[in-house]
Amino acid sequence: MHRLRLTGRAVTVAAVLALASSTMTPARAAAAPDVVAVDFAQRTGPVHGGATGMLYGLSDPGVPGDSLLAGARPRTVAQKAPDGDQHPNGDALVVADGFLAAGGEEIVVYMQDVYSRWPYENLGIDDYLAKVDTMVRKVVRERPADKDRFVWVPFNEPDWIWYQDWDALKEKFFGDWKAVVERIRSIDPQARIVGPNEARYNPGRLRDFLTWAKGATCGGGDCLPDIMAWHELSRDSLAGYRGHHEHYRALERELGIGPLPVNIDEYGNRRDMSVPGQLVQWISMFEDTKVDADMAYWTYAGNLDDHAVRTRQANGGWWLLKWYADLTGETVRATPPHPNVPDTVQAVAAVDEPARRGTVLAGGGAQPVRLDVTGLDPALFGRQVDVVVSKTTWTGYEGDALKPPVVAARRTTAPGGKLRVDLPGGDVMAAYRVTIVPSSGPAPAIDAPWTTSIEAESATLASAQAYDQDTTADPQKYATSGKRDVGSMNQPGSAVTFSVTVPRDGRYRLGIHHGTNKVPGRHALFVDGALDRLVQYSATLGWTYRGRTDVEIELTAGTHRLSLRTSADGTTLLPGSDITLDRFDLTEITGPARAAYPADEARLSGGARLTRSGAGPAITLGGGARATFFVAAGQDGYHDLTLSYRSGRAGDLDVRIDGRAVPGVRAARPGDGASRVRVYLPAGISKVEVGGFAGLHLRELVTVRAGQADAAVHRVEAEQARLSGAARVVGAGVRPTPPPARTWASSATAPPARSPWTGPPGSGRGVRAGDALRQRRQEHRARVQHRRHQPVPRHQRDRRRDGARRVPAQLRLGQLLAPGHPAHPHHRGRRPRPRQRERLRAQRRSAGAGPVRPRSGQPRLATPPGRGPRRAASRRAVPGGRLA
């Protein structure tokens, strides 16, 4: 089914979102909404905040960024045993300092990840005990002050690794569990044990284990774990988890144990990671039951389980993690229409009485949603409230997202403590944050720009094909907007063409959701039939692992035809142009990038408190009190940072960005004021901490891009530096200067063709299309020098074991696969046999392409230069899954 989804500012303001009291009616008829009842009078306990832990979310110190980690603030992470061989990085000891500094609580140590193979090689319990002894002693020796922050998982998924046949191996498992637990406690008597950590909830096995563990003796105590753990790794878990948790608590009561804390230390599928509308369904379940839970690790180590865009940058899913980490106070009853039905709207809500603030996080449904809010105590919220709705949606796994826009805002009354908030439908991948506070200061306002989205499969296709990516039928597929994409763009005439109507003359940002197959690529962007530029795509993990590339174009008011093509001249394929296209987002650029962070969005520490007065909310500082904001920058460069406040006297403000002091920020006089300072922010998330003297009341922080100041940046080319050792300059060359930008008229008056110049967005540089292959070869040589050995990801080992198709070996740049080639992603046949492979190699050699590397069984996921440290590949098997 083709789908064309359009959204615009007029729709956003007038009809998409209505905020009204319970006595008001909608302005126009609409589809019956899904109703979520939120009762702020029914408290369900303190906010636990444990639902966004991560398995191998961290890899190395500073990766993917300390500010990103602090913003998401996971309570738990699960990492490999010290000096383990399962992955090249992700060592629990190595990442501990950064995790704990970001507010983390527990590091879950996967002890069997000391082994190199998956499933783990079984060398006998004596071999394993020796390794257990070494790793526990190392943690006790190196972390004596906080060794209690490390909790130990003796066995990972024993229901299918080492002890699958329960009837035959039950007693052996009991004996091995006892031996490992006794060895751990002989070294650290206070060590906490996590288990049994099975791949799914197995009530029969769990009953047998708990019954035995309660009566057995392990080092002077019983053999029960200190933390109960199992995994929820299927779409059905969205329907069954609450039943599993309820059954487990009943089993505890029956056996007379616990209640033990619970950690679901692996959950979710590929389609869930990075997608706000999917994640909110999992978060609501785990927060409802007050457990810790760690997102599964399917792709890279060190990218916060698919929520970091390379280094420092956040995607749309990260902002939901941050919103969840911001919740304070107590949770309240939020009742969705279908609590245990996958892929339906779910919600979590909380109230912070000292801050006089209510918050609701909701999403996950395709239908419109109505929040029926009750229990708003007038003593807490007053008779008039300000309601602000922000939206975060999917931006791809590697598509960066700036601060989520405010899509609706209203000052309204809440008679009888009741309120109705209508949320739009249609974006099943989005999540919303609704904040309700007493009215004060200026009325809240919308700040969302005009934007429209077009699905690639709804466009006009030439020599290209739309493919189904049904993540409902197969949740192990990577997320895809609209569950379809466009691929097989491998002919000189391949093109995807679509029309857009823009409201006014100006500059627009075109965001292209794409998937490349481990190498960079290019398309030609035509506007109204004329070549505008070459679009350079960065490498992604595969055709269905989505990145997003942004380009800026000038358009006049009216309708225009945009086309992405594999050839700039209609005859010659651009290098790497066989790229999957998923969705196009066109957003108006209204001026320098600006973002406002009001007092309600700050995290408070050191005794800081939020107060409300007629002038609006403010944070009372003084002494060690601090307000922390997580600000987003779309690109490296200078920004003006403005702090608004009310001060009782003149004095200095203590402002720190990522821990570095910013001098010269001062309140010049008593009363209301603002101080501005120009700072350099790297692209991505930066942590801004603000402190000050007693009597300072901070109202807001605002950032504005100051692009003109970038002329002061001092740049040094690497080849101009002093070289030593084996360092040498390679691939030196000079790039020409691009011509000035053009403003296209409407489609009725198409401009003449011009030379194909392009460059990275915002770089100010360009290259001739004819030089593309030469430049790509230079980039390829640079990447080869940066490669390091990567172990074979577990899911790929299992696929090879099952006889499924392997990942193609890295190809030389400029070589493209025809649709009929057995290694092509859309080829349905088997891969070539040995003689066929030799014949293919001979054909390539005769064509002058050079030898093909043998299929070594371990694809090299090289990171292009300048993209930050590399991360390990994924670890989990997907039995029967199709390799993306």
Side-chain angles (χ1 to χ4, degrees):
M1 178 179 69
H2 296 307
R3 184 176 70 148
L4 178 65
R5 186 175 73 249
L6 299 177
T7 58
R9 174 175 293 179
V11 177
T12 300
V13 175
V16 167
L17 194 59
L19 300 175
S21 71
S22 60
T23 60
M24 297 181 66
T25 58
R28 65 181 184 181
D34 288 334
V35 178
V36 178
V38 181
D39 188 350
F40 280 93
Q42 291 191 44
R43 310 296 170 86
T44 58
V47 172
H48 183 67
T52 53
M54 301 167 185
L55 172 65
Y56 281 99
L58 308 178
S59 58
D60 298 286
V63 177
D66 292 336
S67 296
L68 272 181
L69 179 60
R73 198 169 61 187
R75 265 183 51 87
T76 62
V77 291
Q79 304 287 147
K80 76 171 183 179
D83 302 321
D85 290 335
Q86 186 68 206
H87 303 288
N89 48 17
D91 189 303
L93 279 175
V94 172
V95 303
D97 286 337
F99 168 70
L100 297 176
E105 297 290 338
E106 291 179 352
I107 301 172
V108 180
V109 181
Y110 269 35
M111 303 178 76
Q112 281 181 301
D113 277 10
V114 71
Y115 289 106
S116 61
R117 296 181 184 175
W118 177 259
Y120 307 114
E121 57 266 41
N122 190 347
L123 304 180
I125 193 62
D126 290 336
D127 177 83
Y128 185 40
L129 286 173
K131 292 177 168 58
V132 168
D133 190 283
T134 300
M135 68 179 76
V136 177
R137 290 186 185 279
K138 184 170 185 178
V139 170
V140 171
R141 180 176 65 251
E142 296 189 7
R143 312 284 303 206
D146 56 8
K147 60 184 175 61
D148 60 310
R149 298 290 193 97
F150 295 80
V151 297
W152 303 92
V153 180
F155 299 97
N156 178 36
E157 300 185 340
D159 48 337
W160 79 279
I161 302 175
W162 292 10
Y163 308 98
Q164 185 171 6
D165 188 343
W166 190 240
D167 291 336
L169 298 173
K170 174 169 44 178
E171 295 302 324
K172 176 170 175 53
F173 177 71
F174 293 162
D176 291 350
W177 175 275
K178 174 180 173 68
V180 174
V181 171
E182 288 183 334
R183 182 64 61 91
I184 295 171
R185 289 178 175 167
S186 70
I187 302 168
D188 182 7
Q190 285 75 46
R192 289 180 293 156
I193 310 300
V194 183
N197 212 56
E198 294 191 320
R200 60 189 180 92
Y201 187 75
N202 292 301
R205 289 174 65 115
L206 187 57
R207 175 183 290 274
D208 290 345
F209 170 70
L210 292 176
T211 301
W212 166 82
K214 179 184 177 183
T217 302
C218 290
D222 60 39
C223 294
L224 289 168
D226 299 284
I227 300 171
M228 173 55 56
W230 69 87
H231 299 167
E232 297 281 358
L233 292 167
S234 73
R235 180 176 179 269
D236 291 340
S237 294
L238 290 169
Y241 164 73
R242 285 187 174 91
H244 298 162
H245 183 267
E246 183 179 350
H247 179 274
Y248 169 68
R249 291 304 187 196
L251 184 60
E252 282 185 325
R253 293 191 293 270
E254 177 186 338
L255 298 178
I257 61 176
L260 300 177
V262 173
N263 189 333
I264 308 301
D265 53 9
E266 293 186 35
Y267 76 83
N269 299 111
R270 281 177 172 170
R271 67 156 193 169
D272 300 312
M273 303 302 122
S274 81
V275 183
Q278 291 298 127
L279 287 169
V280 72
Q281 301 175 57
W282 296 93
I283 290 171
S284 65
M285 295 192 312
F286 298 136
E287 185 60 41
D288 281 352
T289 51
K290 306 300 181 186
V291 303
D292 290 324
D294 298 338
M295 294 176 286
Y297 160 46
W298 297 111
T299 308
Y300 294 116
N303 74 343
L304 306 186
D305 291 334
D306 291 330
H307 293 92
V309 181
R310 304 181 187 269
T311 302
R312 296 186 67 99
Q313 293 176 285
N315 61 25
W318 181 90
W319 285 99
L320 178 64
L321 306 187
K322 193 262 183 187
W323 285 350
Y324 177 62
D326 287 342
L327 292 182
T328 51
E330 293 183 279
T331 51
V332 300
R333 184 73 61 194
T335 307
H338 310 289
N340 297 309
V341 178
D343 303 337
T344 59
V345 63
Q346 304 293 323
V348 60
V351 60
D352 185 334
E353 287 197 0
R356 303 177 67 193
R357 179 177 61 236
T359 305
V360 183
L361 305 180
Q367 300 301 317
V369 176
R370 187 177 80 226
L371 304 182
D372 280 353
V373 179
T374 58
L376 295 174
D377 184 357
L380 188 64
F381 290 95
R383 297 188 179 277
Q384 184 173 259
V385 295
D386 288 341
V387 184
V388 177
V389 182
S390 301
K391 175 184 176 181
T392 181
T393 191
W394 189 60
T395 59
Y397 295 90
E398 293 194 338
D400 67 301
L402 301 182
K403 184 179 184 293
V406 174
V407 296
R410 179 168 294 186
R411 178 164 288 174
T412 185
T413 58
K418 297 180 180 180
L419 185 71
R420 191 191 74 187
V421 182
D422 290 330
L423 306 179
D427 191 350
V428 70
M429 307 181 92
Y432 298 86
R433 181 184 64 182
V434 181
T435 59
I436 305 170
V437 299
S439 296
S440 62
I446 294 170
D447 64 9
W450 180 92
T451 185
T452 184
S453 295
I454 302 97
E455 294 290 341
E457 65 271 14
S458 70
T460 300
L461 308 183
S463 298
Q465 184 174 345
Y467 290 90
D468 290 331
Q469 304 292 347
D470 190 349
T471 55
T472 300
D474 183 1
Q476 278 305 105
K477 287 179 176 287
Y478 287 113
T480 300
S481 180
K483 298 183 181 180
R484 303 191 77 202
D485 59 19
V486 173
S488 295
M489 296 188 66
N490 45 41
Q491 302 298 319
S494 296
V496 175
T497 304
F498 55 95
S499 296
V500 293
T501 301
V502 298
R504 59 191 64 85
D505 295 355
R507 198 159 185 81
Y508 293 81
R509 179 179 297 107
L510 177 64
I512 306 167
H513 294 249
H514 64 86
T516 61
N517 194 34
K518 305 177 183 65
V519 294
R522 285 184 175 179
H523 276 164
L525 173 62
F526 284 73
V527 177
D528 296 328
L531 179 63
D532 181 80
R533 70 186 63 212
L534 298 184
V535 179
Q536 178 71 52
Y537 301 103
S538 60
T540 66
L541 182 65
W543 270 286
T544 59
Y545 190 80
R546 298 290 183 250
R548 195 193 72 239
T549 295
D550 294 338
V551 295
E552 295 183 4
I553 55 178
E554 294 278 354
L555 298 173
T556 57
T559 300
H560 300 268
R561 287 180 61 81
L562 276 59
S563 181
L564 286 163
R565 306 179 187 179
T566 57
S567 174
D569 57 12
T571 59
T572 305
L573 278 169
L574 292 169
S577 57
D578 191 2
I579 295 165
T580 297
L581 298 177
D582 186 8
R583 191 180 79 199
F584 310 109
D585 298 331
L586 189 68
T587 303
E588 184 180 17
I589 302 172
T590 57
R594 181 185 186 277
Y597 302 85
D600 271 303
E601 296 189 11
R603 291 186 189 167
L604 309 183
S605 60
R609 56 190 177 86
L610 188 67
T611 60
R612 301 184 188 278
S613 65
I619 302 164
T620 300
L621 300 176
R626 304 193 74 78
T628 300
F629 301 88
F630 294 89
V631 305
Q635 57 186 170
D636 298 338
Y638 282 101
H639 293 71
D640 287 333
L641 187 153
T642 302
L643 297 166
S644 301
Y645 49 79
R646 186 180 76 253
S647 175
R649 62 178 178 85
D652 293 327
L653 281 69
D654 181 12
V655 179
R656 297 177 182 272
I657 299 178
D658 294 331
R660 296 168 298 167
V662 178
V665 185
R666 180 175 174 80
R669 65 183 67 86
D672 292 332
S675 296
R676 186 179 68 182
V677 61
R678 183 159 289 178
V679 298
Y680 188 91
L681 297 178
I685 303 298
S686 295
K687 179 181 176 182
V688 179
E689 299 173 277
V690 182
F693 48 87
L696 182 68
H697 303 274
L698 180 65
R699 298 195 186 282
E700 186 180 51
L701 180 152
V702 175
T703 61
V704 179
R705 180 76 169 98
Q708 72 280 5
D710 288 352
V713 174
H714 181 64
R715 293 182 174 89
V716 178
E717 295 292 339
E719 62 270 19
Q720 297 173 354
R722 180 178 298 173
L723 307 182
S724 61
R728 62 191 180 91
V729 176
V730 296
V734 178
R735 294 178 177 180
T737 303
R742 288 283 301 276
T743 300
W744 298 131
S746 66
S747 55
T749 56
R754 63 187 180 90
S755 301
W757 301 82
T758 188
S763 67
R765 295 184 177 183
V767 294
R768 282 189 178 275
D771 293 336
L773 182 58
R774 183 182 304 108
Q775 180 185 347
R776 284 172 56 80
R777 285 172 174 163
Q778 294 172 1
E779 294 171 351
H780 172 62
R781 286 194 291 269
R783 277 199 308 277
V784 169
Q785 295 181 18
H786 284 76
R787 288 196 183 115
R788 294 181 296 180
H789 173 72
Q790 290 281 349
V792 182
R794 292 181 182 178
H795 66 278
Q796 292 169 10
R797 295 173 189 158
D798 282 0
R799 285 193 176 95
R800 291 169 193 159
R801 178 195 65 197
D802 296 338
R805 178 168 53 86
R806 300 183 181 183
V807 174
Q810 185 84 353
L811 298 176
R812 290 171 60 90
L813 291 173
Q815 299 295 322
L816 301 175
L817 296 178
H821 193 287
H824 194 278
H826 301 306
H827 182 74
R828 301 298 185 230
R830 299 177 61 85
R831 69 184 184 89
R833 295 180 178 180
R835 290 184 180 178
Q836 292 174 315
R837 291 200 298 271
E838 290 301 326
R839 187 160 56 253
L840 288 171
R841 293 191 182 101
Q843 292 172 357
R844 288 174 57 107
R845 283 194 295 268
S846 66
V852 178
R853 290 179 183 156
R855 296 176 183 268
S856 63
Q858 46 187 28
R860 300 179 181 272
L861 306 182
T863 301
R867 291 296 186 182
R870 294 178 39 225
R871 304 159 184 143
S874 146
R875 64 181 297 278
R876 173 160 299 285
V878 187
R882 175 176 174 267
L883 193 58

